[in-house]
Each structure stands twice: as structure tokens, then as C-alpha cells.
């Protein structure tokens, strides 16, 4: 008889409620969405109370950005996995997200399926970097170039 693991609990933080609701709809068949936050203050409050396994964070979450909020979450909930959603495809931004505690980074330009894949990988204690930004990010990390961008 296989032991049943409890469902993975996800908190979504995005400043556009419509996108947060879309993420919820996409992930709910497999994951438990414990809440949605639309700003940094609500995110920090919700994370403290709900103690999610995964936090999906909008990189540009107001009032400052998702990096500051994520650093605070990691201090309070070190085991929580962070997925950054971003519109910025620059390698230095992605590298900064991982330095800030991210376990996954998914650009908003990616197919919706990528968020699902990232969440599954985090659930298996793996990391995820979207193919849309992986090559540039790896080159940036390996070469230390500040503004590396492959010609698109």
C-alpha cells in the first residue's frame, strides 16, 4: 500500500488578479491553491498564516518588487519553494531571482504549461528554468557578463 502524500499547497502572488486567477485555474486540478495575494503586504501576511509549500511570485509585485518579498518569505519559511513569474528576459534578472531564493523562473511569455511543469519539478525537490531564458542565464552565470543577450 502506497503512502499518500498531502497535496502541495500553493500561494499565488500577482498584481493582476486576472492572471492570478488564471494560474489558479491551471494548477488546481493537481495542487491546492491556498490563497491569492495582489501586493507585497498581503503576500507576506498570507505566507505567514497559510505556510504554503510553493509561492508563485510576480517579479514586479508592488510596491517594490517580488525579490524583497521573497527574501522575507524565505526568512520566515525557509522550506518554501519560490517560482518567479517575470516579463523581463534579461539573464542578470533571472540570475538575481535565483540568488534571491527562487527555485524556478518562468517568463510571462512562456506557454501556460511551463508553470505547471515548474510546480511539479519543485514538488519533486528539483529546480526549473524556462527554456526561453536558460541559455542566456547559463552564459551569464558562467561568463559573468553583465548584459549578455543572445541575438534573437
Amino acid at each position: 500500500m502506497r503512502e499518500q502524500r498531502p497535496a502541495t499547497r500553493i500561494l499565488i502572488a500577482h498584481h493582476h488578479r486576472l492572471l492570478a486567477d488564471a494560474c489558479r485555474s491551471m494548477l488546481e486540478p493537481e495542487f491546492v491553491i491556498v490563497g491569492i495575494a495582489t501586493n507585497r503586504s498581503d503576500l507576506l501576511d498570507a505566507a505567514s498564516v497559510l505556510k504554503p509549500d510553493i509561492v508563485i511570485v510576480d517579479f514586479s509585485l508592488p510596491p517594490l518588487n517580488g525579490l524583497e518579498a521573497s527574501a522575507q518569505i524565505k526568512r520566515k519559511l525557509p522550506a518554501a519553494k519560490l517560482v518567479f513569474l517575470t516579463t523581463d528576459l534579461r539573464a542578470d534578472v533571472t540570475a538575481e531571482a535565483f540568488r534571491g531564493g527562487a527555485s524556478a523562473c518562468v517568463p510571462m511569455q512562456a506557454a501556460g504549461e511551463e508553470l505547471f511543469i515548474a510546480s511539479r519539478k519543485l514538488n519533486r525537490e528539483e529546480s526549473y528554468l524556462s527554456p526561453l531564458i536558460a541559455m542566456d542565464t547559463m552564459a551569464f552565470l558562467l561568463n559573468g557578463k553583465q548584459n549578455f543577450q543572445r541575438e534573437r
Side-chain angles (χ1 to χ4, degrees):
M1 186 165 156
R2 273 178 52 183
E3 183 179 324
Q4 281 263 345
R5 284 179 30 177
T8 301
R9 300 165 41 83
I10 297 178
L11 173 61
I12 300 169
H14 199 288
H15 72 283
H16 291 294
R17 181 64 195 227
L18 179 66
L19 290 175
D21 286 341
C23 291
R24 171 188 288 218
S25 294
M26 191 178 351
L27 296 170
E28 270 184 330
E30 186 169 329
F31 302 98
V32 174
I33 308 304
V34 294
I36 290 177
T38 56
N39 62 57
R40 178 180 162 180
S41 176
D42 290 348
L43 169 60
L44 296 175
D45 290 345
S48 293
V49 171
L50 300 171
K51 301 191 180 358
D53 303 305
I54 297 174
V55 182
I56 298 172
V57 182
D58 173 8
F59 195 82
S60 58
L61 190 69
L64 299 172
N65 68 45
L67 272 179
E68 283 104 12
S70 296
Q72 292 176 346
I73 289 170
K74 287 303 273 186
R75 280 194 294 277
K76 290 180 182 182
L77 302 170
K81 305 288 189 268
L82 302 175
V83 177
F84 274 100
L85 297 179
T86 182
T87 58
D88 195 332
L89 300 179
R90 290 178 299 156
D92 58 329
V93 172
T94 304
E96 187 64 26
F98 277 95
R99 281 188 206 106
S103 297
C105 198
V106 178
M108 296 293 287
Q109 297 88 329
E113 182 70 15
E114 278 200 53
L115 183 58
F116 198 73
I117 292 167
S119 299
R120 279 184 168 168
K121 284 189 172 277
L122 269 55
N123 201 30
R124 293 190 310 259
E125 301 297 323
E126 298 175 27
S127 296
Y128 180 79
L129 180 58
S130 170
L132 292 175
I133 52 180
M135 189 183 318
D136 290 349
T137 302
M138 290 306 296
F140 174 82
L141 292 171
L142 293 173
N143 299 321
K145 295 180 181 177
Q146 289 300 318
N147 294 310
F148 176 83
Q149 282 288 293
R150 159 174 55 87
E151 287 185 33
R152 298 194 193 279

